[in-house]
Structure formats: structure tokens, C-alpha cells
Amino acid sequence: MDSNNIDFKDLWKKQAVSQPNIEDLMARLKQFKKAGLRSLWKTNILLFATSVFIVFVWYYYQPQFISTKIGIVLAIAAMILYVAVYNGMLLIYKDIDTTQTNQEYLQRLILLKRKQQFMQSIVLSWYFVLLLAGICLYMYEYASRMTVFYALITYGVTLLWIGFNWFYMRPKEIKKQQAKINELIVKFEDINKQLD
């Protein structure tokens, strides 16, 4: 008969052990949301300031070649494309609040992960292609006034910098972002399994 009795106090104590984990997870989620929103604002400000600077250069220096003007337009178009799609994540971040259930948190994080993957693959690829084309076209007018040696060095350094960002910095940042969101998703899945 003793084996059939359920000790609810013991079960409650065991359940209470996981409570700090939930609080820790909620703190991590709050920190993740705050960091995501801060990153959104920084990106918006940085790309807006860069676009304004590019337009100022266009206005102040009055480029003569059509390639320079096309390059400026492509560079600004790259930034507008990136910011427009990236700002779509703002609503997802704002929808994460403390009144949601664990399942709702998990759904939001999975949606955010899908958006991040779209940003990191398709949007970022187009951003780099447009930016690369824009910079190369923009530089042509000024490189044409240089000797071939200095023009090659200028293009070489620029392409190396873009290559470094594409092949080293971009994958590193993607890996870091995916690790953060994957960790939260796994923890919410674990909690949901415990509650079921």
C-alpha cells in the first residue's frame, strides 16, 4: 500500500528545483531580446549615416562618370534592402513579452531563427553583391585617374577587405547568432517536455 502512495511534497520539491532554471531562462530571453533590439537600432543608425554620407559625397564631389552614379545608387540600394528586411525582425522581438507561455516563446524563437537564416543567406548575399558592384563602379572614376599600379592596389585592398568580411567575419557572426538562438530554443523545448 505504501508503494501506491504518491508523496506530493517530494514531487513538489523536485519540481521546484527546475524553477530557478526557468527564471534564468527568462533572464536570458530578456537579455537576448534587448541585445537583438540594440543591434537593430545600431544597424539602422549606422546604415542611415553611411547612406547620408554617400549622398553627401555625391552632392559635394559631383562625379562625372555614369558608373560612379550607378555605383552610389547600388550601394545605397544594398543598405536600404538590408535595413528593410532586417527591420521586419523588429516586430518579432517586440512580440516577445513576459506574459507568453513557454510554447509561445518557443514559436517566436523558431520564427526568429527562420528570419535570421533568411537574412544570413539570401538578404546578406544580395547585400554583398550590390555593395561590391556599387563600390567597384564608384571607384572606377577615381581609379581611372591613377596609374595602373595604384588602381590595382586600390581595387585589391578593397576586394580583400570585402572578401575578409564575406569569408571570415560573416560566417563567424552567423555562427554566434545561431548559437545564441539555438541555445534558447533547446532550453525552451526541454522545459516544454518537462511540463508535458
Side-chain angles (χ1 to χ4, degrees):
M1 189 143 183
D2 286 353
S3 61
N4 290 335
N5 284 343
I6 299 172
D7 187 355
F8 287 109
K9 286 183 181 178
D10 188 44
L11 282 173
W12 181 254
K13 287 178 185 174
K14 287 179 183 175
Q15 187 64 29
V17 170
S18 66
Q19 192 64 22
N21 292 338
I22 292 174
E23 290 172 9
D24 178 55
L25 185 57
M26 296 310 284
R28 285 184 185 195
L29 182 66
K30 188 176 180 181
Q31 184 180 12
F32 176 78
K33 177 183 174 180
K34 198 174 188 179
L37 288 171
R38 195 175 328 115
S39 177
L40 272 165
W41 285 111
K42 283 181 185 176
T43 301
N44 275 290
I45 291 167
L46 183 66
L47 292 182
F48 177 76
T50 304
S51 296
V52 167
F53 176 74
I54 290 171
V55 169
F56 169 75
V57 168
W58 184 353
Y59 175 77
Y60 187 77
Y61 288 104
Q62 295 291 314
Q64 303 302 310
F65 290 13
I66 190 73
S67 62
T68 310
K69 295 171 186 173
I70 292 171
I72 290 171
V73 170
L74 287 176
I76 292 173
M79 291 179 221
I80 290 170
L81 168 74
Y82 187 82
V83 166
V85 178
Y86 194 42
N87 284 341
M89 293 169 56
L90 181 65
L91 296 174
I92 299 170
Y93 279 116
K94 285 192 172 187
D95 281 348
I96 298 173
D97 63 30
T98 55
T99 62
Q100 293 175 321
T101 65
N102 290 339
Q103 189 62 36
E104 289 171 327
Y105 285 131
L106 185 58
Q107 289 171 352
R108 286 283 164 214
L109 289 171
I110 290 170
L111 179 62
L112 191 60
K113 182 179 177 176
R114 279 194 219 121
K115 285 268 194 186
Q116 270 187 353
Q117 288 171 335
F118 177 71
M119 283 289 302
Q120 293 162 348
S121 58
I122 295 169
V123 176
L124 205 54
S125 296
W126 275 105
Y127 172 77
F128 269 98
V129 166
L130 289 171
L131 193 63
L132 176 64
I135 289 171
C136 288
L137 286 170
Y138 175 81
M139 289 172 46
Y140 176 72
E141 179 175 343
Y142 305 105
S144 67
R145 297 176 188 160
M146 300 177 187
T147 64
V148 174
F149 176 74
Y150 285 115
L152 289 174
I153 287 178
T154 303
Y155 270 99
V157 168
T158 303
L159 294 176
L160 277 172
W161 176 248
I162 291 172
F164 172 75
N165 279 290
W166 178 258
F167 292 110
Y168 180 73
M169 296 301 290
R170 182 185 66 94
K172 189 176 177 182
E173 186 62 30
I174 287 171
K175 197 173 183 181
K176 192 168 94 175
Q177 287 176 354
Q178 287 177 346
K180 285 179 185 176
I181 198 162
N182 286 340
E183 180 185 353
L184 285 171
I185 288 172
V186 166
K187 291 194 186 246
F188 273 106
E189 284 174 341
D190 288 345
I191 286 174
N192 284 341
K193 285 175 190 171
Q194 286 176 9
L195 294 175
D196 290 342

